[in-house]
Amino acid sequence: MKALVISDRSEIIDFVTPLLKEKGFDLIHYKWIIKALDNIEEIQPDVVVLSAEEYPRHWKILAGFVQSGIGGNGVKVYLYETTKLSVEDAAKADELGVKSFEKEFKERQFISVEIAFNELHGMIHFESGKYYKDEELIEFQFTPENKVSLTNDSYLNYVSFFDGNDITSCSAEVKEINGNNISLMVREL
């Protein structure tokens, strides 16, 4: 996957680069938007990231150009912004299918929690882990201290977690087992 980042500002490059690399993108960087427009057909990026502040008129041209299919099919355009877009620009971004880079690629803020869960055969485990929640999902990550017999897609009927203030109970499904690390997705609170 390729990400085209268009910016002449080092603070933008320094912020977006690690987030894109973490998602598995190879980066192509241009300082000038006109040069990027000239080469976009050859580059065929999956994602384009630029700033409406740096290129107040040209970002709309680039987004329309990409939407036409010349730069490839299904190319997603993201605006990196330090200030809020005007109502007119926000409407134009919505019309062109341009999304906010910070909303889409923001780093997850995990909270430390204590987790208790029952395996299918009744064994109760107490683990320390991390908890993440946004509008769409709730996820736990932990490395078990003792052996567990969980597999990908295992369903846990009883999971409780303590975030330092509150105890919450739920059911969860094993999202992924990666080495010793286990990720759980909450299914029902």
Side-chain angles (χ1 to χ4, degrees):
M1 294 189 306
K2 289 187 274 188
L4 172 61
V5 179
I6 306 167
S7 180
D8 194 23
R9 293 172 43 194
S10 60
E11 67 271 14
I12 292 176
I13 302 302
D14 292 345
F15 180 77
V16 302
T17 296
L19 295 174
L20 289 167
K21 283 186 176 180
E22 181 181 293
K23 299 278 187 186
F25 287 98
D26 294 323
L27 295 176
I28 299 165
H29 175 234
Y30 278 84
K31 291 183 178 185
W32 300 286
I33 194 166
I34 300 302
K35 187 73 171 165
L37 274 166
D38 281 347
N39 294 322
I40 201 161
E41 193 170 2
E42 293 170 24
I43 297 168
Q44 295 281 308
D46 298 292
V47 168
V48 177
V49 180
L50 73 160
S51 168
E53 282 181 301
E54 279 186 272
Y55 311 104
R57 291 186 308 270
H58 291 95
W59 72 265
K60 297 169 199 161
I61 294 167
L62 181 130
F65 194 72
V66 166
Q67 191 179 46
S68 73
I70 291 175
N73 294 323
V75 179
K76 295 181 180 172
V77 178
Y78 296 96
L79 290 178
Y80 172 85
E81 295 312 313
T82 54
T83 60
K84 193 172 181 176
L85 291 175
S86 69
V87 173
E88 184 179 279
D89 280 350
K92 189 65 174 177
D94 192 46
E95 178 185 321
L96 291 168
V98 176
K99 304 211 181 303
S100 166
F101 178 83
E102 291 176 311
K103 285 182 183 173
E104 191 75 20
F105 288 88
K106 68 183 176 187
E107 290 187 86
R108 294 182 174 181
Q109 298 297 316
F110 284 92
I111 299 167
S112 293
V113 292
E114 298 298 320
I115 305 166
F117 63 91
N118 289 49
E119 286 190 73
L120 293 176
H121 55 51
M123 180 81 154
I124 299 174
H125 292 273
F126 298 95
E127 305 289 348
S128 295
K130 299 182 292 186
Y131 162 76
Y132 169 78
K133 178 181 179 180
D134 70 12
E135 302 83 37
E136 298 172 14
L137 66 95
I138 301 173
E139 179 180 343
F140 296 103
Q141 293 181 356
F142 66 95
T143 302
E145 290 183 21
N146 300 305
K147 184 176 173 145
V148 296
S149 60
L150 298 175
T151 60
N152 284 328
D153 299 324
S154 289
Y155 192 82
L156 304 170
N157 286 320
Y158 305 105
V159 178
S160 296
F161 62 96
F162 177 64
D163 65 5
N165 296 317
D166 299 311
I167 296 174
T168 305
S169 296
C170 59
S171 59
E173 185 176 339
V174 175
K175 174 185 169 189
E176 178 182 32
I177 298 176
N178 186 357
N180 291 331
N181 299 317
I182 297 175
S183 293
L184 301 177
M185 297 295 289
V186 171
R187 291 295 170 218
E188 195 173 321
L189 282 172

